Each structure stands twice: as structure tokens, then as C-alpha cells.
Amino acid sequence: GTPLVAAYVALERGRVLRSSGRAEAAGPLFRAALDIALGAGHEHLAADAAHMLAIIGDAAEQERWARRALEIAGASADPRARRWVGPVCNNLGWTLHEQGRHEEALDLWERALAAYIERGDPEAVRIARWTVARGLRELGRVQEALAIQEELATGPPDPYVDEELALLRGQGTTPGTAEP
């Protein structure tokens, strides 16, 4: 078939392998999908493939492939490619957070929030705001984090918001445990 079909087939076969616990076998398919998509100008599939490569690798690979996905998506005029900015920034932020790179993580989470606002996705915006507040707490910016979590608490019940509020108000015993 066409490069579009070939890229989709490689990408989806890779997803099946990854979901089946065979991430190592999925890697070559994701790389093939990336190469085919880039060669054919299908930036949305290229960003998706780079994103998939990021979620199957170790921390160094996650960062390398996530930055490649952001490079592709961020430079694209295609809204289907640009939709990857938010999820990739979020995922990379958590990777960096786990490495103790909290300032960088917060920067990425703020970028994800902006992408979700631009996209007009209220649920993703809510989660991204929680994540930004989580990053602020990690950096000791408690009042800023508290203001965001208190505003989120006016919405639907959310145990993650409740846990963060308890931690921010000094009622929690193990800071850093809450993650969506």
C-alpha cells in the first residue's frame, strides 16, 4: 500500500506487541513507522511513533525520543501532529521528575497545560493543572500549588486533589506519593 498505510500498520503492530508485554519487539516497528511517516510527510504519525518509542525505553531513551516527538509536533502546522505536544510534555515531565529534575519537569508540565488549553480539552486541562501544582509543591512553592489545588477542589470529587491538599496543608505524612 501507500506510505500512509505502511506507517499505520507498523505503528499499530508495534502497539499490539507493546500491549502484549513485548516492548523490545515493538521498537523496530515504531522506528519503521517513524521513518516511513517522516519520509512521506505524515507528521502526525511520525510524532506518534516517536512518542511510542519514548514510552518503551529506559529514562535516557524516553527523553531522547520524547524530545524528537516534540521537535516533530512543535514544528508542524498539522493539528493532528500538534496534539502530541501535551501528552509528550506530560510524559517527559514525569520522567524528569522521577530523576529529580523538578524545574525541567515543571517547565514541561506548563507547556503541556498550554497545549491542552490551546486544544480546548477541559479534562486534560484539569489534569494538567493538577500536575503543574504537583510540580510547584515539589519545588517548595506551596502557596501557588495550594491555590491551584483549592480551585480544582471546587470541581468534581478527585482523590488526587484531596491527597495533594492534605499534603499541602501539612496533614499528609509522605510528600511526593500522589500521582495521577
Side-chain angles (χ1 to χ4, degrees):
T2 68
L4 178 66
V5 171
Y8 267 118
V9 167
L11 187 57
E12 296 309 320
R13 283 184 177 161
R15 280 195 230 281
V16 169
L17 289 170
R18 179 192 171 270
S19 295
S20 302
R22 299 177 56 205
E24 285 184 27
L29 289 166
F30 294 143
R31 282 189 289 281
L34 175 63
D35 291 342
I36 294 165
L38 283 174
H42 298 298
E43 295 162 327
H44 65 292
L45 291 177
D48 188 358
H51 160 261
M52 292 306 297
L53 283 161
I55 64 175
I56 65 168
D58 61 22
E61 289 291 300
Q62 288 175 22
E63 184 171 358
R64 179 176 146 231
W65 287 114
R67 293 204 186 277
R68 181 68 177 120
L70 288 173
E71 186 179 288
I72 294 164
S76 180
D78 182 348
R80 297 171 301 169
R82 294 194 56 76
R83 78 167 287 283
W84 286 105
V85 171
V88 173
C89 283
N90 177 68
N91 293 349
L92 181 55
W94 282 111
T95 297
L96 298 181
H97 170 80
E98 290 167 6
Q99 295 174 5
R101 295 164 61 185
H102 302 298
E103 287 283 349
E104 293 172 86
L106 180 59
D107 288 344
L108 284 160
W109 291 333
E110 288 173 335
R111 186 173 171 196
L113 174 58
Y116 291 131
I117 289 170
E118 179 183 319
R119 202 164 95 191
D121 184 340
E123 180 61 14
V125 168
R126 188 187 64 74
I127 294 168
R129 291 185 69 231
W130 181 94
T131 308
V132 166
R134 173 64 182 85
L136 290 167
R137 177 174 64 82
E138 191 67 43
L139 292 169
R141 294 165 60 183
V142 174
Q143 292 307 312
E144 292 170 84
L146 184 59
I148 294 169
Q149 297 295 0
E150 285 177 339
E151 186 178 328
L152 291 172
T154 64
D158 185 325
Y160 293 109
V161 171
D162 295 342
E163 182 177 2
E164 278 297 307
L165 284 171
L167 291 167
L168 289 162
R169 292 174 178 152
Q171 299 168 6
T173 57
T174 54
T177 59
E179 279 187 33

